[in-house]
Amino acid sequence: MNHPPPSPPRPTGTATGPYDAAFLPRLALSARPAERPITEPVAKLGGEPCWLAEPTWPLAPGTGEPLVFIGQFPVPGEELRLAYLFLEEDELIMGGQDPEHGDGVLLVQPDGRIPSFAVIGPPGTRGRTLWRDDPDADRTVPVEFHLDLLPLSAELDRSMDQRAAFQRYLRHEGPEAPVPDGDHVRDHLGGLPSFPNGRARVPAPWQFLFALSDAPDDGDPYFLNFGYGVGSGFLSPDGLEGRFSWEAP
């Protein structure tokens, strides 16, 4: 099946913090196995980073080991930019719960700012990439997936907005809203966000970029353990610096 090339959302210019829609339209992130290595600067999971500037591989602050490359995500705007996600993996537990600990790093290229808490390895540093178990061979194998950016139906998009509005009401930041009863997409780029426990782990003026659910079970296409939760990527208002954190319900 042929898929259209990714078309990122556009900045709204109206977001003041992580609960606003900084980028529209909201697009689903749909993983599709790659038949060959992906070398283009497009949305993807796994494989090798498609660097747009000098390779910059973060290290775990406690051990100095290279973080695992999880994937890359388009940064909306006129200029081609990517946000690269790296997470520590320790005994199958992923780093990134604290957005400023350094065990979860979201880097922006080109011309991005490296977060002050990030520990960057020397030139030539390379780490592990996203992987899955191969039970037949009793080993793990690296994987790579296209992330197709797909439009949502009007009904599903409205349901996602209702979910965000209900969480805003629970935070006493908006008018009363009904309990959402429609479907929602856990993996998406842009739009009004919602979070597993109703609150973002970053303050204003950080702006929501993407949500990524985990895949911790045997038989999942790749391994990503957020305690059956969801990770969220955020950008600074100028789009040059990233944050990431995950939480379980």
Side-chain angles (χ1 to χ4, degrees):
M1 179 184 296
N2 293 325
H3 292 262
S7 179
R10 307 295 300 176
T12 63
T14 59
T16 60
Y19 301 111
D20 302 325
F23 310 105
L24 287 173
R26 178 191 289 114
L27 298 175
L29 295 171
S30 178
R32 172 171 54 94
E35 297 179 355
R36 60 185 62 87
I38 301 169
T39 58
E40 299 81 22
V42 296
K44 70 169 187 169
L45 294 175
E48 293 292 323
C50 302
W51 299 108
L52 294 175
E54 193 70 21
T56 307
W57 204 294
L59 308 178
T63 66
E65 292 294 318
L67 301 185
V68 179
F69 174 63
I70 303 300
Q72 60 193 37
F73 305 84
V75 174
E78 294 297 328
E79 183 181 357
L80 174 62
R81 283 200 179 101
L82 290 174
Y84 305 83
L85 177 61
F86 297 84
L87 298 177
E88 184 177 14
E89 182 190 313
D90 182 16
E91 300 292 334
L92 303 183
I93 302 299
M94 314 303 289
Q97 285 191 284
D98 181 340
E100 297 192 353
H101 182 268
D103 57 357
V105 177
L106 187 66
L107 295 176
V108 176
Q109 286 191 355
D111 303 321
R113 291 188 300 272
I114 296 175
S116 60
F117 53 81
V119 180
I120 303 301
T125 297
R126 290 180 61 186
R128 193 182 191 188
T129 188
L130 193 68
W131 57 272
R132 66 170 175 83
D133 276 315
D134 183 351
D136 294 331
D138 192 27
R139 64 188 178 96
T140 63
V141 295
V143 295
E144 189 169 17
F145 294 84
H146 294 275
L147 278 180
D148 295 317
L149 279 65
L150 304 179
L152 276 64
S153 69
E155 180 180 3
L156 183 53
D157 200 47
R158 185 165 50 250
S159 174
M160 296 282 285
D161 284 346
Q162 290 173 345
R163 183 180 178 90
F166 181 67
Q167 289 193 353
R168 188 178 292 272
Y169 163 64
L170 292 181
R171 294 192 304 270
H172 307 289
E173 297 173 357
E176 184 173 359
V179 177
D181 57 4
D183 292 332
H184 73 282
V185 174
R186 299 185 76 187
D187 296 7
H188 65 95
L189 185 74
L192 281 172
S194 57
F195 303 98
N197 295 300
R199 292 187 177 274
R201 293 202 169 190
V202 299
W206 293 98
Q207 299 176 357
F208 172 79
L209 177 61
F210 68 84
L212 182 66
S213 58
D214 68 357
D217 293 328
D218 293 342
D220 284 337
Y222 52 85
F223 178 81
L224 196 57
N225 183 11
F226 297 153
Y228 296 100
V230 176
S232 300
F234 304 88
L235 293 176
S236 57
D238 60 9
L240 299 182
E241 190 172 340
R243 293 288 187 275
F244 176 85
S245 67
W246 65 263
E247 59 180 332

